[in-house]
Amino acid sequence: MRYSKSFIYTLKEDQKEAAIVSHNLLLRGGFIIKLASGIYNYLPLGLRVIRKVSDIVREEMNKAGAIEILMAAIQPAELWKESGRWNDYGKELLRIKDRGDRDFVFGPTHEEVVTDIVRRFVKSYKQMPINLYQIQTKFRDELRPRFGLMRGREFIMKDAYSFDKDEAGMDESYEKMRIAYNNIFRRCGLAFRSVEADTGSIGGKDSEEFMVLSNTGEDEIVVCDSCDYASNTERATSILEDEAGEELKLEKVKTPNKETIRDVCEYLNANPEFSAKALVYKNEKGEVFCFFIEGDDELNLVKAMRATDSVELEMVSDDELEKLNLKKGYIGPIDFPNKDIRVICDYRLKNRNNLVVGANEEGYHYVGAKYGRDFECELADLRVVKEGEICPKCKKGRLKKIRGIEVGHIFKLGQKYSKAMNATFLDENGKTIPYFMGCYGIGIGRTAQAAIEQNHDEYGIIWPISIAPFEIEIVSLDTRNKELVDFCDRLYDEMVDKGLDVLYDDRDERVGVKLNDMDLIGIPIRVIVGKKAFESGKVEVSLRRDRNKELIEKDDVIDKVLKLREMLYKEIEEGRK
Ligand code: ATP
Ligand code: MG
């Protein structure tokens, strides 16, 4: 493509709305432009990247035996009522009405629609396994849309759904997707890792996320320093080396004006590891829960949601606490003052022989409290694991935390949707059975942007060749020199004839502008035709990643470019960056 005939507009200034580099570079490079919060237009360069990522995804999905379809984006509410998600999905679901006042949603995901399609045709075990996928625009009304394509409201997703006749079949379909996902992210040139994940509102059995490793990632991952254990912090567990402590007698003590558990422990000269703090939350159904965790621990909201079967949890305000008959700063599990509230303690507290806990009375705490003797309640795993704790898998290594961007997610759904939607087939014995399902998502835009987060420098983007908007850029630095222009034109035509993917900067622009744009846009292989070198029969060839220029004979340019191209693809194939 000739730059002069294209629609590429770069921006000099850093963009204020961008909190992370990759977002800034997408905007500055003229890849995308914002239309509304979390909603973007894709400009030619952005669209080309989206297409390249989609093509890789499509190839690997097809190779794994999945079949492409395209489902409607707008879905009738009836299907969501059948699955139960009309009520369960929460505020991310964009609900709309038609002129006849009928309810619809703009699909955030397609389990219902695909299950409805399959149940109409697939009546026998002989028709399975089957895996249907699409690449399509989704809408989720995210609470905090941010970081450009990373967390948009409208975004492009590849979603696939497998249907099997039994659990073993489902496991096999899942395994095929796991392999396909590894191929996809490797081919996109990303440093990534798969981790155990929570299944969230989609529900189901096993689930793994594919994380692009990056300090700016929204997800925190827990990894073991000696085995391959890797889990999203949302569901990570650990083995604790807790001591039970000495058994003491329960005693009520004065703790005036000490509102946080830390203050209380300091005042009582107690170890916060031997204290319980209360956290009061309510869910989307208005149910209220009081969670008790160790004073030094952090509540894991995802685990708390799991334990309470909630979709959303929101902290209860101080006013509401009053109304619930709870004394802020002094809430404790002994003689809990409100029978309508579900009280849940983290497992960790069960093993302590003496705890500092609130006395449900202004200015008082108990010391020496012991689970089973002084109080009892529901127990659950509620805490966020900490670095340095022992790995739950190898039981020797220590855990550490790193950050990642979730680009893909695979789930074993089991029969959740097929049961709810009465989507069944006849097995070998003529018995009616709901399908065993799996679902598999990849954020196309998020993947593209994650690649920038991992591959950039102070000058701009450094695209992995496999998803770059173009593989090669020719820049002519002297558009008044006819001989030089003729050469560039010919070089460009020849490359295009060879099927190469080339951007040709033929603009009548200043040298500095062209070179800066070239660095910003980040095309991996560059051919720069400048006046001086050209006069001695040479042109400069360089890679964006190191910007090291090599002078090449004019006639050898295409050969050189082909070699570099082959090398870059080979590196990606081998997983080298
Ligand atoms: P997250 O935890 O980031 O909200 P999710 O668990 O809701 O993600 P899934 O429902 O598993 O995401 O969706 C599949 C894939 O779609 C994700 O792995 C991610 O790559 C992409 N994705 C999800 N939400 C968004 C979004 N708001 N913007 C861009 N991509 C998204
Ligand atoms: Mg989400």
Side-chain angles (χ1 to χ4, degrees), residues 122-137:
V122 177
K123 312 277 189 192
S124 155
Y125 70 95
K126 289 184 194 147
Q127 291 165 275
M128 287 181 282
I130 190 149
N131 185 335
L132 299 178
Y133 80 97
Q134 63 174 346
I135 297 177
Q136 188 222 33
T137 297

Side-chain angles (χ1 to χ4, degrees), residues 462-463 465 470-475 477 495 514-515 518-519 522-529 539-552 557 560-565 567-568:
I462 307 172
W463 286 109
I465 191 162
F470 295 91
E471 294 175 341
I472 303 150
E473 178 166 351
I474 303 172
V475 186
L477 292 184
M495 284 196 190
K514 289 177 128 177
L515 295 180
M518 178 179 68
D519 279 344
I523 292 165
I525 302 170
R526 304 106 64 91
V527 178
I528 304 171
V529 187
V539 298
E540 280 173 19
V541 177
S542 63
L543 290 179
R544 169 63 184 86
R545 70 175 175 210
D546 54 22
R547 301 160 85 239
N548 284 340
K549 294 168 191 143
E550 202 180 329
L551 281 174
I552 303 289
V557 171
K560 176 73 186 174
V561 163
L562 286 173
K563 281 209 186 83
L564 288 173
R565 183 176 176 275
M567 177 191 85
L568 292 179

Side-chain angles (χ1 to χ4, degrees), residues 100-126:
D101 213 31
R102 283 174 290 256
D103 287 314
F104 288 85
V105 307
F106 194 113
T109 170
H110 277 68
E111 283 77 9
E112 284 82 358
V113 176
V114 77
T115 304
D116 182 52
I117 293 174
V118 171
R119 73 179 167 186
R120 296 191 205 197
F121 298 109
V122 177
K123 312 277 189 192
S124 155
Y125 70 95
K126 289 184 194 147

Side-chain angles (χ1 to χ4, degrees), residues 310-325:
S310 303
V311 182
E312 275 160 26
L313 280 177
E314 188 189 332
M315 214 170 213
V316 162
S317 71
D318 290 0
D319 283 352
E320 283 172 286
L321 280 183
E322 288 256 9
K323 285 191 200 122
L324 292 165
N325 194 25

